[in-house]
Amino acid sequence: TGEIEEGVADLESVRLEVTSKVRNEKQAEFIINKLSGMTGSIDEVAAAYGSDASVYSSSSVSMSASSLPSVGQAPEAIGVIFGSAGGTTTAPIKTDNGVVVIEVVNLTPAPEIADYSTYVASISSNRENRASFYLGELIKEKAEIKDERYKFY
């Protein structure tokens, strides 16, 4: 909880964090290379990989999700799922929590939207609000206002 100066940190202060990240990268690379040579169904690949492999299933994954059940945050995997066709198995995907191989059993396309006017109104309103906010922030920045309220309280 000490004070950290701005700039490049010395190696000793970040050694544990860097070591952990490098170790995870190397483990992921090793696992991906090992899985890339395997063929068969997900269960067969998991059995051939060994006891460290687990097979999970999820009946519904939505595009707006950023995590997978039993995996955690994996937006990369969600993107690959919706970029795949139904009935396919993905190549190994490195996520923050490990390496996953996904079998897309069925992909249900979203229904067509007949009227986009509510979405257009929502986006327009959002942009108007953001524009006025950023305009106010720009005025404050260019006016070089100093916040000296601490002198009064």
Side-chain angles (χ1 to χ4, degrees):
T1 62
E3 186 176 328
I4 300 173
E5 293 183 21
E6 186 177 344
V8 178
D10 61 72
L11 181 61
E12 288 306 314
S13 65
V14 294
R15 181 177 298 279
L16 290 175
E17 185 178 343
V18 171
T19 302
S20 174
K21 287 188 183 285
V22 170
R23 186 179 302 122
N24 288 344
E25 289 287 329
K26 291 294 183 183
Q27 285 177 340
E29 186 179 311
F30 174 77
I31 292 169
I32 289 172
N33 288 337
K34 187 172 178 181
L35 287 172
S36 295
M38 297 182 180
T39 58
S41 70
I42 292 286
D43 294 321
E44 292 169 345
V45 170
Y49 185 82
S51 61
D52 289 337
S54 301
V55 177
Y56 302 105
S57 65
S58 178
S59 60
S60 62
V61 177
S62 68
M63 190 177 257
S64 62
S66 63
S67 64
L68 290 172
S70 304
V71 174
Q73 292 292 324
E76 312 90 350
I78 299 291
V80 171
I81 289 171
F82 286 97
S84 302
T88 60
T89 302
T90 68
I93 306 161
K94 180 189 158 303
T95 68
D96 289 340
N97 299 324
V99 176
V100 296
V101 176
I102 300 169
E103 181 179 18
V104 181
V105 176
N106 185 16
L107 192 62
T108 306
E112 290 293 323
I113 298 173
D115 184 20
Y116 287 93
S117 61
T118 56
Y119 296 105
V120 170
S122 173
I123 291 171
S124 296
S125 172
N126 187 358
R127 286 190 176 173
E128 287 173 12
N129 292 336
R130 287 177 58 198
S132 63
F133 171 77
Y134 286 128
L135 184 60
E137 291 298 311
L138 180 64
I139 290 171
K140 287 179 193 176
E141 181 182 314
K142 294 298 180 184
E144 298 179 11
I145 297 172
K146 292 183 182 176
D147 186 4
E148 296 181 353
R149 289 179 285 186
Y150 68 92
K151 293 181 179 179
F152 298 103
Y153 298 104

